Amino acid sequence: MAVSARSIEAPRRTVVIEGIEPAVDGGRYPIKREVGAVLEVSADIFKDGHDVLVAFLRYRRGGDRTWREAPMRHVDNDRWAGTFTLEATGRHRYTIEALTEPFLSWVTDLEKRHAGGQDLTSALGEGLALIRAAAARASAVDRAPLAAFGDRIERAPAPAAAVAAATDPALAALMTRYLDRTEATWAERELEVIADPERARFAAWYEFFPRSGAALDRSATFKEAAAQLARAAAMGFDVVYLPPIHPIGHAHRKGRNNELVAEPGDPGSPWAIGSADGGYTDVHPDLGTLEDFDRFVEAAHGLGLEVALDFAIQCSPDHPWVREHPEWFFHGPDGTIKYAENPPKKYQDIYPVNFQSDAAPALWEELRRILEFWIGHGVSTFRVDNPHTKPVKFWEWLIGAVKAAHPDVVFLAEAFTRPKMMKVLAKSGFTQSYTYFTWRNTKQELIDYLTEITTAPMAEYFRGNLWPNTPDILHETLQRGGRPAFKTRLVLAATLSSLYGIYSGYELGENVPREPGSEEYLNSEKYEYKARDWDAPGNLVDYVTRINRIRRENRALHLYRNLRFYPADDPNVLFYGKMTPERDNHVFVAVNLDSFATHACQVDVPIAELGIGAGQSYRVHELVSDRWYDWRGARNYVELHPNVEPAQVFVLHR
């Protein structure tokens, strides 16, 4: 088919902008950073011909209408980069503007012509036109200096003098100030970055049941649970996470060790939410009143602790919603509400809610109201139970709505599920996520997995919170490995990621499974009260405290994306390091992954990266044992005894 000349439209000589980084799925989802961070944005920027280009990184916060900008610099091979600082929490937008710089292009061409001995009459005339056009756009203050430069060039006694005036940096600065951007090219889409509070990246979590601690036959109160706050703070934790604190249903209440029938006095699972005493905006009467909870939160804040609440969207058959909003649940053919199932498992004490029924909009709004309620009571961190069983669109809406009003709120996804679902939940807005760390125990498993989650592209949106144990998970490594395994997994969690947590009882080495091959605890706290002796012989309280102090005192361990693994010539020894961007804090960690035998080997220190010569000696301070060592060159010796110290944490000193 012949193409008519009339159908061909001459293209504008636009600039190509592509390959913008960082970006998640081409900009479909926001990237994540923390307030105060300097975000570097890069892109491929080029066009046909040999014109000089300029580019600007444009950015603005949330609902701001006015764009701010920072100049971009040419890196190499048409790659450009620019930075801006995330000065406040919340969503920010960024994009790129690029265009030909006619004046700089003219100057470059003029210098080449002059060096080649060519006649400059025509070229100087083109430059004068550019300068006078800029003067017409300029303010009254700058109009005269621009006109003066034009006069100097026009009246120059010789070509060399004209070129000298044209290349004066002061003229270039004026011309840049009044650059005509009407023909500028903007990137095809705006991208987003969420700036979270620093605790979104660096925090140590401690989970405990506030109802435990008083006795084996009754619930502790919030007032009594304040002792748990003091313990957590003394061990150096930043966040205390509470399982659901709401009234617990009686219908089909689970008994001890998840028995289908509860005995009199069994407290039931806190995740079976709701009774005649109330629902999501109420506290269990055994714990006290809402005012008691407020005092509990105030006490936590006074100790430097954040209180994280569990947000578990599921109801006991006794929850007020069952009576008031039956349309929010799934119904069987006979009209009865369906309880939760994960065949062959059945959860008769729990009703899941229906997020996609005709009544869903009202349900969604009510769930947002619940979060707003607890935010009003001093809670700014939520651990979300099983988010992978709810629609991703719901989380994108809910978290977006809550963080638009409260940008400092943190959401932790308890998503032990398929990798792609874990990733999309993080993309949709979750601040942090549980991980597969619990099931990564060999050297190569740890290297592969931690590299994946702490480097791009995954680290642009995913912050992994490492937990050696939870009330639901007692891994075989802890069951078999005893005290050495508890110390090893603690150090790994606390130093591989800037985010980690433990469930109470870890510091006592609790490791008895319900049955062989099970990851459930025997006499699980999910179904009964616990009264523990925190000073029991062999406890790890001092060890946990020491590791948390090491974390706090070394800024390299505050960062998430700076993890690097280094060679160690023993398959049971993992060696890795972290350093600050300023290179003023270097931490190296050696861990014996074998809980039953001593391992010694050579580890490779990245001396070239550190600016240390091949034969140069240097000192390292081993922080767990508080010992000093003199190392020389790249290869150095470590010896790790599981029953003494299975892990060593070194800080480099010059």
Side-chain angles (χ1 to χ4, degrees):
M1 175 180 174
V3 179
S4 168
R6 288 188 177 182
S7 67
I8 300 175
E9 183 177 338
R12 292 172 50 217
R13 300 188 69 196
T14 56
V15 178
V16 177
I17 304 173
E18 60 184 20
I20 300 177
E21 293 179 351
V24 178
D25 292 357
R28 164 65 178 85
Y29 298 100
I31 64 167
K32 293 187 178 76
R33 293 293 189 273
E34 299 78 43
V35 65
V38 176
L39 177 64
E40 179 169 282
V41 179
S42 62
D44 295 328
I45 303 175
F46 56 94
K47 70 179 293 294
D48 57 288
H50 304 286
D51 294 325
V52 175
L53 302 183
V54 290
F56 302 91
L57 176 58
R58 300 278 231 155
Y59 60 97
R60 58 188 172 92
R61 185 187 176 202
D64 292 352
R65 294 181 177 274
T66 303
W67 288 96
R68 300 167 69 183
E69 70 177 31
M72 299 185 74
R73 68 187 187 281
H74 180 256
V75 181
D76 61 41
N77 195 27
D78 291 328
R79 195 71 181 169
W80 292 65
T83 63
F84 70 96
T85 301
L86 298 165
E87 297 174 347
T89 54
R91 285 190 179 237
H92 298 68
R93 303 182 76 86
Y94 60 96
T95 190
I96 293 172
E97 177 190 14
L99 67 156
T100 299
E101 218 292 13
F103 176 76
L104 294 181
S105 299
W106 170 75
V107 168
T108 301
D109 182 72
L110 182 70
E111 289 180 310
K112 291 178 180 178
R113 291 178 183 277
H114 180 57
Q118 296 182 8
D119 180 75
L120 302 183
T121 304
S122 178
L124 290 172
E126 293 173 3
L128 287 171
L130 292 172
I131 294 169
R132 286 163 181 162
R137 295 189 296 271
S139 67
V141 173
D142 291 329
R143 195 171 299 133
L146 280 166
F149 271 112
D151 290 343
R152 281 179 57 193
I153 293 169
E154 187 174 28
R155 298 171 184 173
V163 171
T167 56
D168 190 315
L171 174 58
L174 285 167
M175 293 298 290
T176 298
R177 188 177 305 165
Y178 297 103
L179 177 63
D180 182 3
R181 298 196 192 180
T182 55
E183 296 297 316
T185 299
W186 284 58
E188 291 185 356
R189 72 182 306 166
E190 297 173 11
L191 298 96
E192 288 188 308
V193 52
I194 295 174
D196 287 310
E198 187 179 1
R199 61 190 170 84
R201 187 200 66 237
F202 177 68
W205 290 51
Y206 184 75
E207 177 180 2
F208 71 89
F209 286 63
R211 73 185 186 183
S212 288
L216 294 174
D217 60 351
R218 74 168 180 88
S219 170
T221 64
F222 282 125
K223 184 176 181 180
E224 291 170 317
Q228 301 264 44
L229 294 176
R231 281 197 324 103
M235 285 189 287
F237 288 97
D238 308 294
V239 180
V240 288
Y241 153 51
L242 312 182
I245 59 173
H246 316 299
I248 298 171
H250 293 272
H252 303 290
R253 175 175 286 191
K254 295 295 183 70
R256 297 188 176 201
N257 287 309
N258 202 22
E259 292 292 334
L260 291 178
V261 179
E263 298 295 329
D266 286 346
S269 167
W271 284 272
I273 297 169
S275 74
D277 294 312
Y280 286 108
T281 54
D282 300 285
V283 300
H284 198 297
D286 289 352
L287 292 170
T289 65
L290 193 57
E291 289 73 22
D292 293 328
F293 175 76
D294 290 340
R295 285 189 282 271
F296 178 87
V297 172
E298 184 178 356
H301 290 170
L303 293 167
L305 296 167
E306 290 288 329
V307 174
L309 286 188
D310 196 292
F311 187 47
I313 307 175
Q314 57 203 31
C315 299
S316 123
D318 300 327
H319 194 288
W321 284 2
V322 175
R323 180 183 68 257
E324 299 167 1
H325 294 286
E327 71 277 10
W328 289 353
F329 300 92
F330 295 95
H331 296 260
D334 62 355
T336 59
I337 295 177
K338 299 173 69 173
Y339 56 76
E341 292 187 80
N342 184 15
K345 295 181 180 180
K346 297 181 179 181
Y347 305 93
Q348 296 92 335
D349 59 336
I350 292 172
Y351 287 163
V353 299
N354 186 348
F355 284 87
Q356 296 172 310
S357 71
D358 293 340
L363 169 65
W364 289 28
E365 287 291 351
E366 177 62 11
L367 291 168
R368 180 171 71 166
R369 188 190 72 82
I370 290 166
L371 291 176
E372 294 277 0
F373 175 87
W374 290 110
I375 291 169
H377 285 271
V379 177
S380 57
T381 305
F382 297 92
R383 178 268 197 188
V384 179
D385 189 70
N386 285 331
H388 53 285
T389 61
K390 288 82 178 173
V392 173
K393 285 290 185 183
F394 165 73
W395 294 120
E396 192 168 8
W397 171 82
L398 179 69
I399 296 174
V402 170
K403 288 181 72 71
H406 309 280
D408 287 348
V409 171
V410 167
F411 289 91
L412 169 62
E414 187 245 6
F416 296 122
T417 183
R418 303 180 307 281
K420 289 182 173 60
M421 177 58 76
M422 290 180 72
K423 292 176 182 179
V424 80
L425 287 168
K427 292 175 184 177
S428 68
F430 278 95
T431 320
Q432 304 169 7
S433 178
Y434 281 45
T435 69
Y436 301 142
F437 166 75
T438 316
W439 300 276
R440 300 295 184 266
N441 291 278
T442 69
K443 182 174 179 175
Q444 200 58 49
E445 285 175 345
L446 287 164
I447 291 173
D448 292 346
Y449 185 59
L450 269 297
T451 298
E452 178 188 10
I453 68 173
T454 61
T455 58
M458 197 166 173
E460 297 294 358
Y461 59 87
F462 187 96
R463 299 187 186 101
N465 196 325
L466 309 188
W467 289 71
N469 75 326
T470 76
D472 300 301
I473 303 168
L474 172 63
H475 192 268
E476 179 188 11
T477 300
L478 298 180
Q479 295 177 29
R480 295 190 308 106
R483 182 183 173 88
F486 276 77
K487 294 175 79 172
T488 294
R489 297 299 290 180
L490 177 79
V491 171
L492 288 170
T495 58
L496 284 168
S497 175
S498 54
L499 295 161
Y500 94 104
I502 60 171
Y503 157 55
S504 60
Y506 190 95
E507 64 269 47
L508 298 181
E510 294 179 355
N511 69 339
V512 181
R514 189 178 66 187
E515 58 206 13
S518 171
E519 289 188 344
E520 286 278 348
Y521 283 87
L522 180 65
N523 302 323
S524 171
E525 194 173 6
K526 292 187 293 183
Y527 310 106
E528 61 183 74
Y529 303 122
K530 286 281 187 184
R532 296 179 170 98
D533 177 7
W534 299 110
D535 297 318
N539 72 76
L540 293 171
V541 172
D542 288 343
Y543 192 78
V544 173
T545 304
R546 189 181 317 155
I547 297 303
N548 279 337
R549 184 174 66 248
I550 290 170
R551 277 171 51 91
R552 288 189 181 220
E553 292 177 353
N554 289 276
R555 290 191 305 110
L557 298 177
H558 296 199
L559 306 179
Y560 181 75
R561 297 155 59 98
N562 61 339
L563 175 66
R564 300 293 181 269
F565 291 96
Y566 304 109
D569 57 12
D570 185 308
N572 294 287
V573 174
L574 185 68
F575 187 59
Y576 55 94
K578 290 190 167 191
M579 66 179 70
T580 55
E582 301 83 6
R583 297 176 178 261
D584 58 356
N585 184 219
H586 307 78
V587 178
F588 297 98
V589 184
V591 181
N592 180 0
L593 302 176
D594 182 354
S595 298
F596 305 99
T598 297
H599 287 269
C601 70
Q602 297 287 329
V603 296
D604 286 11
V605 180
I607 57 172
E609 187 178 349
L610 301 173
I612 297 172
Q616 184 178 345
S617 64
Y618 50 97
R619 302 203 79 196
V620 292
H621 185 194
E622 202 289 297
L623 301 177
V624 179
S625 62
D626 192 21
R627 294 180 180 177
W628 290 82
Y629 296 91
D630 291 312
W631 283 2
R632 181 182 295 275
R635 309 212 78 205
N636 291 277
Y637 178 80
V638 297
E639 187 173 303
L640 302 164
H641 301 261
N643 292 311
V644 181
E645 292 301 348
Q648 294 180 311
V649 182
F650 303 96
V651 173
L652 173 67
H653 288 262
R654 298 301 179 93

